[in-house]
Amino acid sequence: SVELQADAVADTLAELGIDRAVVAGLSMGGYTVLALLERHAWLLAGAALVDTKAGADAEEARANRLRIADEVERTATVDEVLGMRRAILGETSRVERPDLVQRIDGWIRDQGPAGIAWCQRAMAARPDRLDALRAFDGPVAVVVGDEDELSPLPEAEAMVGAAQDAVLTVVRRAGHMTPIEQPEPVAWPQPEPTPPDTATPDTVTQDDPTGDPDDASLEKAPNDTGDRSEMDRETDTTITMAQRHAVELEEIDAALGRIAEGTYGECEEC
């Protein structure tokens, strides 16, 4: 279940001695972040919900997930979900970035039928978690592609409306995979921990609709040399921190992989 994924992330962070973190989740990863908010809110200094939604599946969507899970197990192939390699991209990427279609094809084929079936059933069973967002008093960044057909803008707006302190970023010319379709504007709205009493009202940030379609910039992108120098310094710091935590992230990845395989919690050395 998605709850098991959230518990595994919380357990892994505890094992690594990390007691507070800003956690980001894309698509199903967003469902995991929402489950963390509900079950382990004290761990989150902030949250980023990217191309995802807080609502439960409608009955038709739920039934389709269960059908897919049964089919990939029956055929022992991932053929049933290969159509997603195009469906999860925006129209712009499908036309202009065939390399992304091939990259996602590889990711799908790497998963295996058992992992896909597990994920489909976990997503089908998840509840509505808008209340978890309402109860969370930390900062939340919500990101959505304007060509996302799976988690469209109204779903993102519902999450922003529920959260106490949220920023919405609408990424133009992107679908359900904004981090690889248009990575720059996705990187900007990372939530910074703020005390509840200094939280600001909800803010909508998006690309200028009259600007260059390829100019992926946010409202407050740096304009002068000083700003850019500070941004470069912060970027270098972020990269250094990411390198330090690479092993930790690999361990979290491995834990999620064991969940998909059904072996999480088993002693690896016994």
Side-chain angles (χ1 to χ4, degrees):
S1 67
V2 172
E3 293 77 19
L4 183 60
Q5 284 187 315
D7 292 347
V9 172
D11 289 346
T12 303
L13 290 173
E15 290 172 7
L16 296 170
I18 301 172
D19 55 8
R20 292 275 285 172
V22 174
V23 182
L26 166 69
S27 190
M28 185 179 181
Y31 304 155
T32 302
V33 173
L34 288 162
L36 275 167
L37 286 177
E38 182 178 80
R39 300 165 70 85
H40 307 279
W42 61 89
L43 286 174
L44 274 68
L49 300 167
V50 184
D51 302 320
T52 191
K53 53 190 174 184
D57 280 343
E59 187 54 40
E60 183 179 355
R62 179 179 177 277
N64 189 51
R65 290 193 194 278
L66 297 177
R67 181 193 63 78
I68 290 171
D70 291 342
E71 184 64 12
V72 295
E73 286 185 334
R74 184 186 70 79
T75 62
T77 72
V78 299
D79 293 351
E80 188 65 25
V81 292
L82 285 179
M84 294 296 292
R85 61 193 167 191
R86 292 182 58 81
I88 62 178
L89 294 172
E91 180 61 27
T92 301
S93 296
R94 290 197 290 265
V95 173
E96 300 180 1
R97 298 287 306 277
D99 59 303
L100 293 183
V101 177
Q102 292 306 311
R103 187 190 305 183
I104 293 171
D105 180 274
W107 289 346
I108 292 173
R109 293 181 188 277
D110 285 345
Q111 301 313 302
I116 288 174
W118 188 95
C119 289
Q120 290 294 325
R121 292 187 178 115
M123 290 188 287
R126 78 187 193 283
D128 184 297
R129 286 202 162 94
L130 280 173
D131 282 346
L133 268 176
R134 293 186 182 101
F136 181 60
D137 60 7
V140 177
V142 178
V143 180
V144 63
D146 67 352
E147 299 176 3
D148 190 342
E149 299 171 1
L150 303 181
S151 299
L153 179 59
E155 298 284 359
E157 291 174 333
M159 292 190 291
V160 170
Q164 298 181 36
D165 176 14
V167 174
L168 172 64
T169 300
V170 181
V171 182
R172 295 192 308 132
R173 297 162 59 87
H176 194 64
M177 297 294 288
T178 55
I180 63 170
E181 294 179 76
Q182 297 286 354
E184 274 191 28
V186 178
W188 269 102
Q190 300 172 47
E192 296 183 4
T194 55
D197 58 353
T198 61
T200 56
D202 295 345
T203 304
V204 176
T205 59
Q206 57 185 344
D207 291 338
D208 180 356
T210 64
D212 181 349
D214 293 322
D215 180 17
S217 61
L218 292 180
E219 243 177 29
K220 296 184 179 179
N223 292 316
D224 60 38
T225 304
D227 286 343
R228 291 184 181 277
S229 175
E230 177 64 15
M231 183 188 76
D232 291 342
R233 184 189 66 78
E234 291 178 356
T235 300
D236 289 343
T237 301
T238 301
I239 291 171
T240 300
M241 292 176 66
Q243 290 171 338
R244 288 178 182 173
H245 293 297
V247 173
E248 298 170 1
L249 294 174
E250 287 175 5
E251 291 186 19
I252 292 173
D253 241 5
L256 294 176
R258 291 196 298 276
I259 290 173
E261 295 167 0
T263 60
Y264 183 79
E266 295 179 4
C267 176
E268 295 182 336
E269 299 178 358
C270 298

